[in-house]
Amino acid sequence: MSLKGKKILIVGLGLIGGSYAEALKREGFEVGAVTRSRESIDYALQKGLIDCGTISPDADFVGRYDILVFALYPHVFLKWIADNQHLIKPGALLTDVTGVKGSVVGKVQEMLRPDLEFVGAHPMAGREVYGVRNADCRIFKGANFIVTPTPSNSEAAILEIEELGRTLGFERISRLSPEKHDEMIGFLSQLTHCIAVGLMTCKDVRHMSAYTGDSFRDLTRIARINDEMWSELFLLNKDELLSQLDLFIGQMADIREAVAVGDSQRLRELMRLSTERRALFDK
């Protein structure tokens, strides 16, 4: 499926939206943006990330684009569709970058006009900073891109969003249902952010920065967190995240018991299993 000649609109010009824009411009696409900050539009224009942009969407602007990428918080995304989908040209294809799918994809598809199609997607890439000034399309290189289709989607539209992922520079393109996506993301992303936050808040470590080694820095890199976005994502995926937290707390109890009773055999078993499984993630 070729994207050649398609005009692409980024709605929400933050870190990921800006990085999408940069990657697509480098590939020769016409890229526009809608975002609430005039400063973000001006910066993106100055840096050549977009061809044009606006903070006030209208039919003349939005209606010229063939593909719309929504890089918004989930509740803002849903409201934007409810308020502004009448501006979108018939036959346009919509996708997103939202970190949860079960509470988003179905709602968007239910409210969407019948002449539009939405295919959910999740770029598994990011940084512990945000805003278009930190945009950098290199974060996509070697990363994973997940498409979350439903029975409502056409194969042609799914293939087009998969091609978008390849065009952006992602190495591996996968398909998951919205439900399987949220189970996976609850463990691989949301639980890991909970662990990082827990490490930074369970003890006052301000005086320890002069003594730490790489292990603590590596484990807590993602503790520099966008509280508004991540708290929303946690609560939208509440049941799955609670399940993963319970799983992790149970495992920590097992490790604690082994330490408490001096069971070196159990500790070594867990460490060998950990080493074996971690090897699967090395790039």
Side-chain angles (χ1 to χ4, degrees):
M1 182 64 62
S2 175
L3 300 178
K4 187 176 180 180
K6 298 289 179 74
K7 299 177 181 179
I8 302 176
L9 179 66
I10 310 297
V11 183
L13 204 57
L15 170 67
I16 299 299
S19 299
Y20 265 53
E22 181 182 38
L24 293 167
K25 277 290 293 173
R26 288 188 177 185
E27 292 297 319
F29 289 91
E30 181 178 329
V31 179
V34 175
T35 202
R36 61 186 178 183
S37 166
R38 169 52 61 184
E39 182 182 353
S40 294
I41 293 290
D42 292 343
Y43 177 84
L45 287 168
Q46 177 190 351
K47 295 296 183 181
L49 304 181
I50 59 174
D51 294 290
C52 53
T54 183
I55 59 172
S56 303
D58 58 50
D60 288 339
F61 185 82
V62 175
R64 75 178 72 162
Y65 293 97
D66 306 294
I67 298 174
L68 287 78
V69 177
F70 290 88
L72 302 170
Y73 292 175
H75 74 281
V76 179
F77 178 24
L78 292 170
K79 187 175 189 307
W80 200 101
I81 293 296
D83 293 345
N84 298 303
Q85 64 169 298
H86 64 281
L87 305 175
I88 303 171
K89 69 186 291 186
L93 178 58
L94 285 61
T95 189
D96 71 332
V97 306
T98 311
V100 292
K101 298 303 182 191
S103 56
V104 173
V105 174
K107 290 180 180 178
V108 172
Q109 291 180 338
E110 286 172 8
M111 72 171 70
L112 208 57
R113 290 169 14 210
D115 60 332
L116 302 174
E117 186 166 356
F118 169 65
V119 180
H122 188 183
M124 295 296 291
R127 299 168 66 188
E128 62 275 14
V129 292
Y130 45 94
V132 70
R133 290 181 179 274
N134 292 298
D136 184 352
C137 64
R138 291 175 296 181
I139 63 175
F140 304 144
K141 183 176 175 59
N144 299 320
F145 186 82
I146 303 169
V147 182
T148 59
T150 74
S152 299
N153 289 128
S154 65
E155 183 66 15
I158 298 169
L159 290 172
E160 196 161 341
I161 298 307
E162 289 178 339
E163 180 61 25
L164 176 65
R166 282 187 284 272
T167 301
L168 290 164
F170 288 90
E171 182 173 322
R172 180 181 298 149
I173 313 294
S174 304
R175 293 188 191 185
L176 288 175
S177 69
E179 295 74 23
K180 284 295 184 182
H181 168 275
D182 286 359
E183 176 186 358
M184 177 278 299
I185 213 69
F187 180 75
L188 289 179
S189 180
Q190 294 180 344
L191 174 61
T192 56
H193 281 78
C194 287
I195 294 168
V197 170
L199 278 170
M200 294 305 304
T201 57
C202 71
K203 189 180 186 73
D204 187 347
V205 296
R206 285 173 292 185
H207 64 291
M208 295 185 180
S209 61
Y211 316 120
T212 187
D214 288 342
S215 58
F216 189 82
R217 282 192 291 267
D218 290 346
L219 274 172
T220 58
R221 176 184 61 81
I222 56 175
R224 293 179 60 186
I225 194 167
N226 181 335
D227 58 286
E228 182 181 4
M229 180 182 76
W230 281 97
S231 61
E232 180 175 357
L233 295 176
F234 282 5
L235 295 179
L236 286 173
N237 203 29
K238 176 181 176 180
D239 291 342
E240 194 57 60
L241 179 54
L242 286 174
S243 176
Q244 304 304 332
L245 282 165
D246 289 343
L247 183 68
F248 182 75
I249 291 167
Q251 192 64 27
M252 292 303 294
D254 188 8
I255 295 171
R256 186 190 188 284
E257 177 64 16
V259 171
V261 301
D263 189 345
S264 63
Q265 182 175 348
R266 178 58 177 159
L267 288 172
R268 293 185 67 184
E269 285 176 1
L270 292 171
M271 291 173 183
R272 287 194 295 267
L273 180 59
S274 169
T275 299
E276 176 186 334
R277 290 180 174 176
R278 181 60 180 82
L280 300 174
F281 288 80
D282 291 336
K283 294 185 179 180

